[in-house]
Amino acid sequence: MEEETNKVVIDIKNLNKSFGELKVLDGIMLQLYEKENLVVLGKSGSGKSVLIKCIVSLLKHDQGSITVGKHELTDISEEDLIKVRRKIGFLFQGAALYDSMTVRENLTFALSRLKEKFSKQEIDDKIVEALENVGLPDAIDKMPSELSGGMKKRIGLARTLVVHPEIILYDEPTTGLDPITSKEISELINETREKFNNSSIIITHDMNCVKTVADRIIMIKDGKVYKEGNLQEFINDDDAYIQSFFK
């Protein structure tokens, strides 16, 4: 990514989160810039998914601050939290489609949660456009049970894109997929950024995904930022822990 701007869209300072005696996030500092793909890398259980759930207040952090745009989340009102969440798309690890709804109904439900009200034709047009953006226009009336794992990920992304978010949070977008489909999903993350100019945080431990999408990488170990830099800086680092990911 060319450095066109240094505008910060998410600013996290000294973030702490514990579950009982277990400290999962320990003083995390992180900034996401406009139009950037930021990868958060780390082993399972390192706090990656907890981090992005805190960003949308699915989990409440214990200490520190999370600022999204002009909104700081610590004591945010419900009204302002809704405004923040409307700016953010969240692609869950398992796509999190509603099993009892068709693809069309899943995307319609996402649109129904917006403040704006659309006509039936506008809704249909937006759904078709979102499905075309992920290469699955023919899946519009399928049930989730009829979709492969890769298709579910694409539909989950379509449901995110249909509301035109400024920021997308990807939670392990390639987990459980075969190598070819994983590559397609990684490339789709890049295509989405190029088309919509959104900013993204990608949580993953899939190194092929990292190499495809990362403008910048933050590695988390034991709830702390262990290293921050671009892909080449990570590849060139002779630290044994870092190299355990890149070998």
Side-chain angles (χ1 to χ4, degrees):
M1 181 190 73
E2 294 181 7
E3 286 296 329
E4 299 173 357
T5 176
N6 284 322
K7 180 182 177 183
V8 176
V9 294
I10 295 179
D11 190 9
I12 296 175
K13 295 178 179 175
N14 194 35
L15 192 68
N16 290 266
K17 176 65 181 176
S18 297
F19 296 96
E21 297 297 315
L22 178 63
K23 192 152 199 173
V24 179
L25 301 177
D26 187 6
I28 293 288
M29 309 282 281
L30 177 154
Q31 289 184 319
L32 175 67
Y33 297 104
E34 192 173 49
K35 302 179 186 177
E36 178 184 36
N37 279 348
L38 173 65
V39 167
V40 178
L41 182 63
K43 292 184 176 178
S44 297
S46 61
K48 306 185 303 296
S49 294
V50 171
L51 171 65
I52 57 171
K53 287 176 181 176
C54 287
I55 291 173
V56 287
S57 288
L58 290 174
L59 292 172
K60 292 292 185 184
H61 56 284
D62 300 328
Q63 290 178 296
S65 66
I66 302 172
T67 303
V68 180
K70 64 180 181 179
H71 295 287
E72 204 285 307
L73 302 189
T74 303
D75 295 311
I76 194 170
S77 68
E78 189 65 27
E79 181 181 356
D80 284 341
L81 180 57
I82 289 170
K83 291 178 183 176
V84 168
R85 285 176 170 170
R86 283 179 181 149
K87 294 180 179 181
I88 300 175
F90 198 124
L91 186 63
F92 291 90
Q93 185 170 334
L97 301 176
Y98 294 104
D99 292 337
S100 61
M101 295 182 181
T102 64
V103 168
R104 184 194 302 269
E105 290 167 339
N106 266 279
L107 271 65
T108 300
F109 181 76
L111 286 168
S112 72
R113 297 176 66 83
L114 295 179
K115 187 177 182 181
E116 300 88 348
K117 298 303 175 186
F118 304 105
S119 68
K120 184 179 184 304
Q121 187 59 55
E122 287 173 326
I123 290 172
D124 287 344
D125 290 346
K126 287 178 181 294
I127 289 171
V128 169
E129 179 188 18
L131 291 174
E132 286 176 344
N133 284 327
V134 300
L136 286 176
D138 294 338
I140 189 166
D141 291 316
K142 292 184 180 293
M143 300 296 291
S145 59
E146 300 177 84
L147 305 175
S148 67
M151 292 171 74
K152 287 179 181 178
K153 296 275 190 178
R154 287 176 179 268
I155 298 300
L157 181 55
R159 188 178 61 183
T160 298
L161 293 176
V162 78
V163 299
H164 293 167
E166 297 173 20
I167 300 165
I168 302 180
L169 307 178
Y170 295 90
D171 189 7
E172 301 284 4
T174 61
T175 291
L177 302 179
D178 63 82
I180 293 174
T181 306
S182 295
K183 184 173 184 290
E184 291 173 349
I185 295 296
S186 298
E187 290 171 348
L188 187 57
I189 291 171
N190 284 339
E191 291 167 14
T192 298
R193 193 267 303 276
E194 293 304 315
K195 184 166 187 176
F196 297 102
N197 291 322
N198 46 44
S199 309
S200 299
I201 296 177
I202 301 107
I203 301 295
T204 188
H205 55 260
D206 175 353
M207 295 313 303
N208 289 323
C209 179
V210 173
K211 292 172 183 177
T212 301
V213 306
D215 296 318
R216 188 163 54 94
I217 303 168
I218 286 178
M219 178 177 280
I220 296 180
K221 181 184 179 187
D222 300 327
K224 300 177 183 288
V225 174
Y226 189 73
K227 181 179 176 68
E228 177 181 348
N230 61 38
L231 177 61
Q232 201 58 48
E233 287 170 330
F234 273 79
I235 291 172
N236 293 340
D237 196 313
D238 60 4
D239 178 274
Y241 182 77
I242 293 169
Q243 284 307 307
S244 70
F245 287 81
F246 286 86
K247 285 181 179 178

